Amino acid sequence: MARISAAESQIMEALWRRGPLGAEEIVAEVGVAQGWGDATVKTLINRLLKKRALSSERVEGRTRYRPLIERADYVTEESQGLLDRLFGGELTPLVTHWVRRRALSADEIARLKRLIADLDDDGR
């Protein structure tokens, strides 16, 4: 999967949320909030097209864009990259880092315990 920049991910998020959109709809959805004009959004769309993260099609005389990458695949790739870069690919140091730097709610602790119990039950 091609590396998607933080700015490009804003375009992708809009498409994952709302489905196929035209450039003007992407500008309205993302550009305004980011302070980007039409040219910036179109540049980001073109980069994503070149990376084969998006496809374009003409519908009723208008070009619409849709993601070719599933959000779950993107999240997995980005998460693994973070884990590899900062924690040598190991999950335990990541969890330890966050647990030591922010208070977990009782609900978060219970969910983590359930997750570990489920993993134990599955024989992992």
Side-chain angles (χ1 to χ4, degrees):
M1 179 184 312
R3 177 87 170 95
I4 294 172
S5 72
E8 293 164 349
S9 74
Q10 296 293 314
I11 304 296
M12 296 299 291
E13 287 291 346
L15 293 167
W16 286 320
R17 237 184 349 265
R18 297 208 30 225
L21 297 171
E24 61 284 341
E25 294 167 305
I26 296 171
V27 170
E29 181 80 13
V30 177
V32 174
Q34 297 296 324
W36 299 336
D38 292 3
T40 300
V41 170
K42 288 177 182 175
T43 296
L44 293 169
I45 289 170
N46 284 325
R47 286 183 194 166
L48 289 164
L49 287 166
K50 286 179 185 170
K51 292 179 181 184
R52 298 189 181 184
L54 296 182
S55 70
S56 65
E57 62 183 341
R58 299 280 295 169
V59 177
E60 299 176 4
R62 296 180 64 213
T63 303
R64 300 188 56 79
Y65 303 94
R66 69 176 180 84
L68 292 176
I69 298 169
E70 296 292 328
R71 188 176 190 283
D73 294 335
Y74 168 74
V75 169
T76 298
E77 186 85 15
E78 286 293 307
S79 300
Q80 188 61 54
L82 173 77
L83 204 59
D84 291 345
R85 281 189 317 277
L86 299 180
F87 299 99
E90 295 185 26
L91 187 57
T92 302
L94 170 78
V95 174
T96 302
H97 170 81
W98 283 110
V99 167
R100 289 189 176 151
R101 281 163 182 78
R102 95 184 244 285
L104 295 176
S105 69
D107 181 56
E108 286 175 309
I109 293 169
R111 289 183 4 223
L112 285 170
K113 286 180 179 179
R114 278 193 304 275
L115 173 62
I116 291 168
D118 289 347
L119 291 172
D120 283 342
D121 292 344
D122 290 344
R124 287 187 180 178

